[in-house]
Amino acid sequence: MNEWLDSPLLTDLYELTMLQAYFDGGMNETATFEFFVRALPTERNFLMAAGLEQVMEYLERLRFTSDDLFALEETGRFSASFLRSLADFRFTGDIDAMREGTVFFADEPILRVTAPMREAQLVESRVMNLLHYETLVASKAARIVLTAPDALLVDFGLRRAHGAEAAVLSARASYLAGFGGTATLAAGLRFGIPTSGTMAHAYVQAHEDEAQAFENFARSQPGNATLLIDTYDTEAAAHKVVALAPRLANEGVLIRAVRIDSGDLAEHARRVRHILDEGGLTKVTIFASGNLDEYRLHELVAAGAPIDGYGIGTRMNTSADVPYLDSAYKLVDYAGQPRRKRAEGKATWPGRKAVFRLYLANSVMAGDWLTLEHESRDGEALLEPAMRDGLRCTDVPDLEACREHARRQLRALPGAQRTLERDEPYPVAVSDALRHMARQLDAGAGAAPAASSNATSPANTPPSASSGS
Amino acid sequence: MNEWLDSPLLTDLYELTMLQAYFDGGMNETATFEFFVRALPTERNFLMAAGLEQVMEYLERLRFTSDDLFALEETGRFSASFLRSLADFRFTGDIDAMREGTVFFADEPILRVTAPMREAQLVESRVMNLLHYETLVASKAARIVLTAPDALLVDFGLRRAHGAEAAVLSARASYLAGFGGTATLAAGLRFGIPTSGTMAHAYVQAHEDEAQAFENFARSQPGNATLLIDTYDTEAAAHKVVALAPRLANEGVLIRAVRIDSGDLAEHARRVRHILDEGGLTKVTIFASGNLDEYRLHELVAAGAPIDGYGIGTRMNTSADVPYLDSAYKLVDYAGQPRRKRAEGKATWPGRKAVFRLYLANSVMAGDWLTLEHESRDGEALLEPAMRDGLRCTDVPDLEACREHARRQLRALPGAQRTLERDEPYPVAVSDALRHMARQLDAGAGAAPAASSNATSPANTPPSASSGS
């Protein structure tokens, strides 16, 4: 069924009916849309941009096949001349975006699309779908990385990720944020992410004898086996590993790790570490899994649990405490005129914007400026060219470079953004010119009401900090 | 990138390393795995089975291409003889499953796979990925359907669904549960679901004049236009619709509906209904959207808001209050012997099982029996053959038939399961034979501890009700 997933028909119907209406009205001037998150959830002190690579792939490949056009014709909603115009539809616009792995905050655009209106409108649904999900997961995974910076973190989430693409993209987004690998083989192969895996309870259960299961598996994956020891009795199984290891070692077969997946992980890990060490298996590492997230990891790290690595699944891949962000893709400029939505509680900043970041002398982030595009500020400009005239810019960094960038970003986070609880918000100041433009648009709108509180919600004071990036 | 999504490599690496170990050990006896949910979340009084169709498609098509085998060889983890054995790998097993749309409860298997061990093991990750997500969404959507049974409910969730497949499958799962349609065109085309759509704020913003935007759109979608009226001022826009409608009607162009997407939906709907009615537009319906779910709908319905239909997106497609279920795919029988996992807090019922449902005289569900497969009970047997020897049974109902089945299931729900809050749990009784088997397996395990509390958590008393389905 997955042929549908790469199709331009993977869109909200309204994108196409609006395109028909733009076509009928001869409207196709240059439009700029920006993707941003309206407000940070209480459970997040920062977000991490991700998904640009997938957006660019989508835009580069966007074509209507004859099957697509036939399917559209069959709906009876579209004119023949409009459908003909789609036959050579291409994305020919510009993309400016924050580098993947960049930390960002409410109201800051992480992607800007500038293209003829029909192109910029059609791609709305899928661009949002891709950017929202990878950003959601990278933002969650970054918290986990901050909580257990020294542990090996492996994405375990295929089975409860929301469908296949979520599984593959969450492996990518968590790796970007600092995870060490994934258990999802297709994601590893697709993105060059290290893969690792252990064994399932079923493997142990299928054997009459647990020790025999361990031995068979270790022989089958020599030097690479992680044995799952909690199917029946965790400590008893650890003793079986100790009894088995010397015999296998004589044959050159080493056991790499054991995995604990249930019960009090800290307590089991302590006992198992003791059993392994007493048995001379000081190099066999302990891997833990089972409904883990940053909150649970914080407890385990605080308890000093001797756990070397964690398999993190469901709660990361679904971003369980915050399963969606208040993301938006909004028209900010059309035909050279800034635009602004003023719906209650959803008003947005008008115009093509820029984001600048200031740093303290110790390289810690001090605050951001949200400005109009043409304004200049000291500090680091966060939006960079990613596509021009429908073609990818050659200097867009690859996944490994973005991962290194993400690592530096997390290192530069202020203390208030590093905690798991809600702390002081990071200062994002809005330039006077941008405020002035918003007021002008509201005044020009006549009968329409003034912008809602949301439009003035960003911090009003500029960051007080030294400049430079 | 989506070629990966249909591949057998869309799996946890450990499925394949276990397969290598089964291969090395010559283990390929018949295995039975069952998929079930361990416990109902506090926010759910029932679940609805979904995803069987996608599981069957996956199993029918499962093949290793030469590219797949090459990629596996490149990992260096697999033997040449094992990789050769994968070249003609097919799923040749049996599937028994609850019909899609069936209501079910904790510990009840909704799908049973019986196949040679390597086949039954390999498919674990993707079978879980598909069944878990569609069941999650159908269960959420069913609550929404129960809350607003008379309204037109349309899936609006592509943009914040977790990736492309989630968008398409949540359209299907919500339609199964009783939604009337989807805005996601690809899902509509793929599954034959009615599609509908409105217009975005950007369309209005791109025009200098809101009334002109309405007129252009209505002419472009004659008879089919839903006008979005909250971009600037909702009631002012409703007056513009009233002013516009007679002129368009003279030319045979009718406006179908208006949509409100922000603010106090009930209050706006009341005012807009009044404006439309006063203006003679009694047939123009009101459609509402914006972060809706069953809780919000309950308030709107209770407030008597004159809203005819709802666009339900993010919170349904991500099942935001319960973004995952505690699902499991567990080995219950291997080589003719029942198997049981006894990990702390995660112990499972052993053996191949059946589920029977009893009904009261008024056709309301009275209680279920969880039994061993060979036991017989009065009542409706919920697990039915779906595949035999790798081939789909001809009488598996299609989506429309399953949707009708879901409708009947929701009608048969007891009062305690119809509420949004946690109420009396539905009675699921475990047969003596099944309990006896679990005890026997624990006793036979010798040094292992007794089964945890979880294994005895299902209701102990049989349902007291008349039999018959």
Side-chain angles (χ1 to χ4, degrees):
Chain A
M1 58 164 287
N2 286 315
E3 62 272 19
W4 296 98
L5 304 188
D6 274 331
S7 160
L9 305 190
L10 182 67
T11 188
D12 287 305
L13 174 65
Y14 83 172
E15 310 290 7
L16 284 158
T17 52
M18 282 191 285
L19 251 59
Q20 170 80 63
Y22 289 134
F23 180 83
D24 292 343
M27 291 175 68
N28 206 18
E29 298 291 311
T30 300
T32 298
F33 285 79
E34 289 177 348
F35 178 94
F36 59 97
V37 174
R38 286 193 187 92
L40 258 54
T42 317
E43 300 83 356
R44 297 289 180 273
N45 288 311
F46 67 92
L47 300 173
M48 178 174 278
L52 173 63
E53 174 68 31
Q54 282 61 53
V55 165
M56 292 194 295
E57 273 182 25
Y58 163 71
L59 295 175
E60 287 171 327
R61 297 181 188 183
L62 197 63
R63 304 280 186 278
F64 287 87
T65 66
S66 51
D67 283 353
D68 293 334
L69 295 176
F70 182 74
L72 290 178
E73 189 187 354
E74 288 280 288
T75 68
R77 294 176 186 266
F78 305 102
S79 72
S81 53
F82 170 65
L83 292 176
R84 274 196 302 278
S85 79
L86 294 182
D88 58 358
F89 183 97
R90 301 285 184 274
F91 180 77
T92 65
D94 294 347
I95 301 290
D96 294 89
M98 287 190 195
R99 187 175 295 202
E100 293 191 83
T102 302
V103 161
F104 73 99
F105 303 92
D107 281 329
E108 297 182 344
I110 65 169
L111 182 115
R112 181 205 296 150
V113 177
T114 301
M117 176 53 113
R118 294 175 213 161
E119 300 173 24
Q121 181 74 67
L122 175 68
V123 305
E124 173 184 38
S125 306
R126 180 62 163 152
V127 165
M128 290 188 76
N129 174 263
L130 286 166
L131 280 186
H132 169 267
Y133 180 62
E134 283 202 59
T135 295
L136 180 74
V137 173
S139 303
K140 175 77 171 174
R143 288 163 57 87
I144 298 171
V145 169
L146 285 173
T147 304
D150 302 321
L152 172 67
L153 301 171
V154 180
D155 157 41
F156 262 30
L158 165 56
R159 63 194 55 198
R160 295 203 200 97
H162 290 183
E165 197 179 61
V168 172
L169 294 184
S170 57
R172 181 182 187 276
S174 55
Y175 183 66
L176 171 73
F179 270 46
T182 179
T184 302
L185 183 55
L189 295 170
R190 172 71 183 78
F191 297 116
I193 303 169
T195 51
S196 66
T198 65
M199 67 201 305
H201 296 103
Y203 185 82
V204 175
Q205 292 171 266
H207 290 76
E208 294 306 318
D209 180 72
E210 190 179 33
Q212 189 66 50
F214 291 165
E215 178 167 349
N216 288 357
F217 196 75
R219 286 184 191 281
S220 180
Q221 297 286 319
N224 221 356
T226 297
L227 304 175
L228 177 61
I229 59 172
D230 75 332
T231 306
Y232 304 115
D233 179 299
T234 301
E235 284 76 27
H239 283 295
K240 292 177 191 175
V241 173
V242 165
L244 175 66
R247 188 154 51 83
L248 288 177
N250 282 340
E251 302 171 38
V253 173
L254 296 180
I255 294 165
R256 195 173 66 173
V258 295
R259 173 161 75 107
I260 309 170
D261 185 53
S262 57
D264 180 336
L265 294 176
E267 187 52 34
H268 279 307
R270 264 190 289 271
R271 290 190 207 148
V272 167
R273 185 74 270 160
H274 183 72
I275 293 165
L276 295 175
D277 288 349
E278 291 279 298
L281 302 184
T282 54
K283 288 188 177 160
V284 171
T285 57
I286 296 178
F287 200 77
S289 59
N291 264 331
L292 298 180
D293 59 16
E294 67 271 37
Y295 306 105
R296 195 75 192 85
L297 254 61
H298 182 75
E299 294 170 8
L300 290 169
V301 169
I307 298 173
D308 306 284
Y310 297 94
I312 317 268
T314 305
R315 292 190 185 179
M316 184 271 287
N317 308 68
T318 65
S319 185
D321 61 336
V322 176
Y324 64 90
L325 300 171
D326 190 9
S327 53
Y329 177 88
K330 287 297 162 194
L331 181 69
V332 296
D333 194 286
Y334 179 65
Q337 297 296 321
R339 309 281 162 159
R340 181 182 200 183
K341 173 181 171 186
R342 280 176 286 115
E344 295 166 53
K346 292 183 173 181
T348 55
W349 290 109
R352 298 163 52 90
K353 289 177 285 296
V355 184
F356 294 93
R357 178 156 297 163
L358 308 183
Y359 293 85
L360 300 171
N362 60 2
S363 298
V364 169
M365 293 160 49
D368 291 359
W369 274 106
L370 184 64
T371 72
L372 289 171
E373 187 192 22
H374 61 77
E375 294 186 74
S376 81
R377 280 290 185 286
D378 288 337
E380 183 185 23
L382 297 186
L383 289 165
E384 304 172 343
M387 290 179 84
R388 285 293 176 266
D389 300 327
L391 296 176
R392 181 190 296 240
C393 301
T394 52
D395 56 351
V396 176
D398 68 8
L399 178 57
E400 289 297 332
C402 290
R403 186 167 184 257
E404 175 56 27
H405 174 65
R407 207 173 62 81
R408 287 191 305 264
Q409 289 278 305
L410 293 183
R411 216 164 42 199
L413 269 185
Q417 274 60 57
R418 309 183 77 85
T419 65
L420 295 186
E421 295 71 43
R422 191 66 180 256
D423 205 322
E424 285 277 293
Y426 180 82
V428 178
V430 177
S431 78
D432 287 341
L434 178 48
R435 292 184 184 283
H436 181 68
M437 177 185 280
R439 276 194 302 267
Q440 272 198 316
L441 284 173
D442 291 347
S452 81
S453 61
N454 198 55
T456 50
S457 63
N460 283 295
T461 49
S464 57
S466 68
S467 65
S469 65
Chain B
M1 59 163 287
N2 287 315
E3 63 271 20
W4 296 98
L5 304 189
D6 275 331
S7 159
L9 305 191
L10 183 67
T11 187
D12 288 304
L13 173 64
Y14 83 173
E15 310 290 7
L16 284 159
T17 51
M18 283 191 284
L19 251 59
Q20 170 79 63
Y22 289 134
F23 180 83
D24 291 342
M27 291 175 69
N28 207 19
E29 298 291 310
T30 299
T32 298
F33 285 79
E34 289 177 349
F35 178 95
F36 59 97
V37 173
R38 287 192 186 94
L40 258 53
T42 317
E43 299 84 355
R44 296 290 181 273
N45 288 311
F46 68 92
L47 300 173
M48 178 174 279
L52 173 62
E53 174 68 30
Q54 281 62 52
V55 166
M56 291 193 296
E57 273 183 25
Y58 163 71
L59 295 175
E60 287 171 329
R61 296 179 188 186
L62 196 62
R63 304 281 186 276
F64 287 86
T65 66
S66 51
D67 282 353
D68 293 334
L69 295 176
F70 182 73
L72 289 178
E73 189 186 351
E74 288 280 287
T75 68
R77 295 176 184 268
F78 305 102
S79 72
S81 54
F82 170 65
L83 292 176
R84 274 196 301 277
S85 79
L86 294 182
D88 58 357
F89 184 96
R90 300 286 183 274
F91 181 75
T92 64
D94 294 348
I95 301 289
D96 294 87
M98 288 190 193
R99 186 174 296 203
E100 291 191 84
T102 301
V103 160
F104 73 98
F105 303 92
D107 281 329
E108 297 181 343
I110 66 169
L111 181 115
R112 181 203 297 149
V113 177
T114 302
M117 175 54 112
R118 294 174 214 163
E119 299 173 24
Q121 180 75 67
L122 176 68
V123 304
E124 173 184 39
S125 306
R126 180 62 162 152
V127 165
M128 290 188 76
N129 175 263
L130 287 165
L131 280 186
H132 169 268
Y133 180 62
E134 283 202 59
T135 294
L136 179 74
V137 173
S139 302
K140 175 77 170 172
R143 288 163 58 86
I144 297 172
V145 169
L146 286 173
T147 304
D150 302 322
L152 172 66
L153 301 171
V154 179
D155 157 41
F156 262 31
L158 165 56
R159 62 194 55 200
R160 295 206 198 95
H162 290 182
E165 195 178 63
V168 172
L169 294 184
S170 57
R172 180 182 188 275
S174 55
Y175 183 67
L176 170 75
F179 270 45
T182 179
T184 303
L185 183 55
L189 295 170
R190 173 69 185 79
F191 297 116
I193 303 170
T195 51
S196 65
T198 65
M199 68 201 304
H201 295 102
Y203 185 82
V204 175
Q205 292 171 267
H207 290 76
E208 295 305 317
D209 181 72
E210 190 179 33
Q212 190 65 52
F214 292 165
E215 178 166 350
N216 288 358
F217 196 76
R219 286 185 191 281
S220 180
Q221 297 285 321
N224 219 356
T226 297
L227 304 175
L228 177 60
I229 59 172
D230 76 331
T231 305
Y232 305 116
D233 179 299
T234 301
E235 284 75 29
H239 283 293
K240 293 177 190 175
V241 173
V242 165
L244 175 67
R247 187 154 52 83
L248 287 177
N250 282 341
E251 302 172 37
V253 173
L254 296 180
I255 294 166
R256 196 172 67 172
V258 296
R259 171 161 76 106
I260 309 170
D261 185 55
S262 56
D264 180 336
L265 295 176
E267 188 53 33
H268 280 307
R270 262 190 291 270
R271 291 190 207 147
V272 167
R273 183 73 272 160
H274 183 73
I275 294 165
L276 294 175
D277 289 349
E278 290 281 296
L281 301 184
T282 54
K283 288 188 176 160
V284 172
T285 56
I286 297 179
F287 199 78
S289 57
N291 264 331
L292 299 178
D293 60 15
E294 68 271 37
Y295 306 105
R296 195 75 192 85
L297 255 61
H298 181 76
E299 294 169 10
L300 291 168
V301 169
I307 298 173
D308 305 284
Y310 297 93
I312 317 268
T314 307
R315 292 189 185 180
M316 184 272 286
N317 307 70
T318 64
S319 186
D321 61 336
V322 176
Y324 65 90
L325 300 170
D326 190 9
S327 53
Y329 177 87
K330 285 296 161 195
L331 181 70
V332 296
D333 195 286
Y334 179 66
Q337 297 296 321
R339 310 279 162 159
R340 181 180 200 186
K341 172 183 171 184
R342 280 176 286 114
E344 296 165 53
K346 292 182 174 181
T348 55
W349 290 109
R352 297 163 53 92
K353 290 177 284 297
V355 184
F356 294 93
R357 179 156 297 164
L358 308 183
Y359 292 85
L360 299 171
N362 59 1
S363 299
V364 169
M365 292 160 51
D368 293 357
W369 274 108
L370 183 64
T371 72
L372 288 171
E373 186 191 24
H374 61 76
E375 294 187 73
S376 81
R377 281 287 186 287
D378 289 337
E380 184 184 23
L382 297 187
L383 289 166
E384 303 172 343
M387 290 179 85
R388 286 293 176 264
D389 301 327
L391 296 175
R392 180 189 297 240
C393 301
T394 53
D395 55 352
V396 176
D398 66 9
L399 178 57
E400 289 297 332
C402 290
R403 187 167 182 258
E404 176 56 29
H405 174 65
R407 208 174 60 81
R408 288 193 304 264
Q409 290 277 307
L410 293 183
R411 215 163 45 201
L413 269 185
Q417 273 61 55
R418 309 183 78 84
T419 65
L420 294 186
E421 296 71 41
R422 191 67 181 254
D423 206 322
E424 285 276 292
Y426 180 83
V428 177
V430 177
S431 78
D432 288 341
L434 178 48
R435 292 183 184 284
H436 182 68
M437 177 184 281
R439 277 194 301 269
Q440 272 196 315
L441 284 175
D442 291 347
S452 82
S453 60
N454 196 56
T456 50
S457 64
N460 284 294
T461 48
S464 58
S466 68
S467 65
S469 64

